[in-house]
Amino acid sequence: MLARWVCAEEREERAVVLDAEVAIVGAGAAGLSLAHRLSETVPGARAPSVVLVDAPPGPLRPPRRTWCFWEPVMGRFDAAVTASWRHLRVRPPSGPAAEDDITPLRYKMIRSDDFEGLVARDLAGSPVVRRLEATVETVEDVPGGALVRLRDPGGRTRALRTRWVFDSRPAGSLPAARTTLLQHFHGWFVRTEQPVFDPGTADLMDFRTPQPATGLSFGYVLPLGRHEALVEYTEFSPHPLTAAGYASALRQYTRDVLRLGELRILSQETGIIPMTDAPMPRQVGASVFRIGAAGGATRPSTGYTFAGIQRQTSAVAAALRRGRTPVPPPAHSARSRAMDAVLLRALGSGRADGPALFSRLFARLPMRLLLRFLDGRTRLHEDLTVGLHTPVGPMLRSALELRTLPRRPFDGP
């Protein structure tokens, strides 16, 4: 039985209590991914009852957004993929671009609306996953599990009793860190009058942009056809820009660098992704866990999160089916996180030239190797190969400095 509703008098209203084995709080990429995995029937495995709690329409729901990742040709969510590319390019501040074919990988783009639609269709036929629209007010450990207190769109109080809770909501604040930068960006989906885009090639980093005093900036172009593309301006720096600042940067990039000519803005997206060496807690109670960006799924050196989410949710679903304690695993290895801490320190201190560092890596090493490195799938000797193509002096100094740096709270947004 999926769940049972128990009604009890509570002051002057009837509060509804829902029982389930698993509660997933938040229906973003992490929450939907875990619910999707748990909706599958696996022969011989347990099928825990699940309640997916989604915030009502309003400020608690995240805006429309785009997720990108790379994987072999066939993937779990291919039906929701907007576009994919096997040819990637990185443009240095001046000189020839680095280009490469990443076969058998594909660089894939999913828009959140398409992802949500795919998962919703699959969940609609699931006998074990129930969706509930409500605002989560508190999550607390209780004997034998956890209690999630909710308020539905009509203002009625509910309590969800569950064995395990997986909270995918953004953390209210970042843990103390030695280095924290923000990857902040603003993008336009554009349509141009002239056929100016190459739909077979995606520009991962275009460093022909004015560079900030700390960190780096670059353009990002994902073509959807000859006339349409997602064009973004991105910075790795301590503080985001104003809306006017992003608009000015994108106008300069599309007009003076890409020379797109007349264009129409179809839609826009804005985001801020913390890039931090702070340890992100994955367990915050005996029965309460964090997944997604709040649970450390974001790769600190790049901001990519979707692939880390899939690793976490796959492991959690497998543990639940086996009846084991479903602690989300680290999405990235200790070695990867240590290397990221060094890179963030080198960029944050200003001792490493970010555009030169990334341009050199992509010019001298195969992109397939770099993508596997960024995904934490390289061996030690491959990591050393990548490291030797970075500015060794600044990186070594940053690595030695990390041992003496205190962790401090982040004072930004």
Side-chain angles (χ1 to χ4, degrees):
M1 179 176 175
L2 167 62
R4 66 181 183 275
W5 293 90
V6 180
C7 295
E9 292 295 331
E10 186 176 282
R11 294 185 180 176
E12 296 180 355
E13 64 177 1
R14 296 178 68 82
V16 181
V17 181
L18 173 66
D19 284 359
E21 188 171 352
V22 175
I24 302 171
V25 179
L32 289 173
S33 295
L34 180 55
H36 192 261
R37 292 182 183 278
L38 292 175
S39 70
E40 295 177 322
T41 300
V42 178
R46 300 175 64 256
S49 60
V50 180
V51 174
L52 173 63
V53 184
D54 192 8
L60 293 180
R61 278 199 181 177
R64 294 177 180 176
R65 55 233 181 267
T66 300
W67 302 305
C68 291
F69 57 101
W70 49 90
E71 65 180 356
V73 178
M74 300 299 293
R76 179 183 186 87
F77 299 111
D78 277 357
V81 169
T82 302
S84 66
W85 302 267
R86 64 182 179 87
H87 195 260
L88 303 181
R89 180 167 53 209
V90 172
R91 294 184 181 274
S94 61
E99 304 183 46
D100 204 354
D101 188 311
I102 63 170
T103 303
L105 300 176
R106 291 289 188 276
Y107 190 80
K108 298 182 178 182
M109 167 181 156
I110 290 182
R111 301 192 72 176
S112 60
D113 283 356
D114 297 325
F115 182 74
E116 290 165 7
L118 180 151
V119 174
R121 289 191 295 272
D122 290 346
L123 295 186
S126 171
V128 295
V129 179
R130 178 187 180 90
R131 299 193 72 161
L132 177 65
E133 191 173 277
T135 300
V136 173
E137 297 187 331
T138 61
V139 179
E140 58 185 285
D141 276 310
V142 296
L147 186 67
V148 183
R149 298 191 184 276
L150 314 165
R151 188 169 298 277
D152 69 17
R156 182 172 55 172
T157 299
R158 294 183 176 183
L160 171 57
R161 299 185 306 203
T162 182
R163 179 66 184 91
W164 309 109
V165 175
F166 299 92
D167 194 342
S168 67
R169 296 172 299 173
S173 61
L174 294 176
R178 294 165 298 190
T179 308
T180 298
L181 296 175
L182 300 178
Q183 179 178 155
H184 51 100
F185 57 89
H186 187 70
W188 291 342
F189 283 88
V190 302
R191 181 170 180 81
T192 60
E193 289 190 356
Q194 300 300 317
V196 294
F197 298 112
D198 174 5
T201 301
D203 284 286
L204 284 187
M205 290 179 160
D206 183 348
F207 291 110
R208 297 175 298 171
T209 53
Q211 296 300 311
T214 300
L216 58 91
S217 76
F218 57 90
Y220 180 55
V221 183
L222 301 182
L224 306 177
R226 296 288 291 167
H227 292 266
E228 293 189 6
L230 169 60
V231 182
E232 286 189 352
Y233 173 81
T234 300
E235 280 192 13
F236 296 176
S237 60
H239 303 287
L241 306 182
T242 63
Y246 289 119
S248 176
L250 269 171
R251 281 195 299 269
Q252 187 273 339
Y253 181 59
T254 56
R255 181 190 63 218
D256 300 337
V257 178
L258 297 181
R259 302 182 183 275
L260 298 185
E262 291 297 319
L263 59 84
R264 181 159 54 98
I265 301 172
L266 305 177
S267 61
Q268 305 182 48
E269 66 174 33
T270 300
I272 300 177
I273 303 171
M275 305 173 67
T276 175
D277 67 355
M280 305 296 283
R282 290 168 285 112
Q283 184 166 7
V284 292
S287 298
V288 183
F289 309 99
R290 287 180 177 162
I291 57 173
T298 300
R299 181 73 193 260
S301 61
T302 66
Y304 284 102
T305 305
F306 195 83
I309 285 173
Q310 302 316 312
R311 288 193 286 271
Q312 274 192 340
T313 55
S314 176
V316 167
L320 286 167
R321 290 194 179 100
R322 295 170 185 154
R324 298 176 180 174
T325 302
V327 180
H332 310 286
S333 70
R335 190 167 79 236
S336 294
R337 297 195 304 274
M339 291 186 293
D340 286 354
V342 174
L343 175 61
L344 289 176
R345 184 59 191 166
L347 293 176
S349 65
R351 62 175 62 104
D353 181 328
L357 185 157
F358 285 107
S359 297
R360 177 175 175 173
L361 285 175
F362 281 96
R364 299 190 179 188
L365 294 171
M367 285 196 185
R368 289 184 297 278
L369 170 62
L370 288 173
L371 292 180
R372 288 195 298 108
F373 172 78
L374 294 176
D375 216 16
R377 298 185 182 277
T378 42
R379 298 179 179 179
L380 178 59
H381 74 276
E382 293 172 312
D383 292 343
L384 293 173
T385 297
V386 173
L388 290 174
H389 284 83
T390 64
V392 175
M395 301 299 275
L396 181 59
R397 180 179 171 187
S398 297
L400 295 174
E401 184 181 54
L402 285 176
R403 298 183 179 183
T404 63
L405 291 177
R407 294 187 180 273
R408 301 182 186 279
F410 181 58
D411 61 359

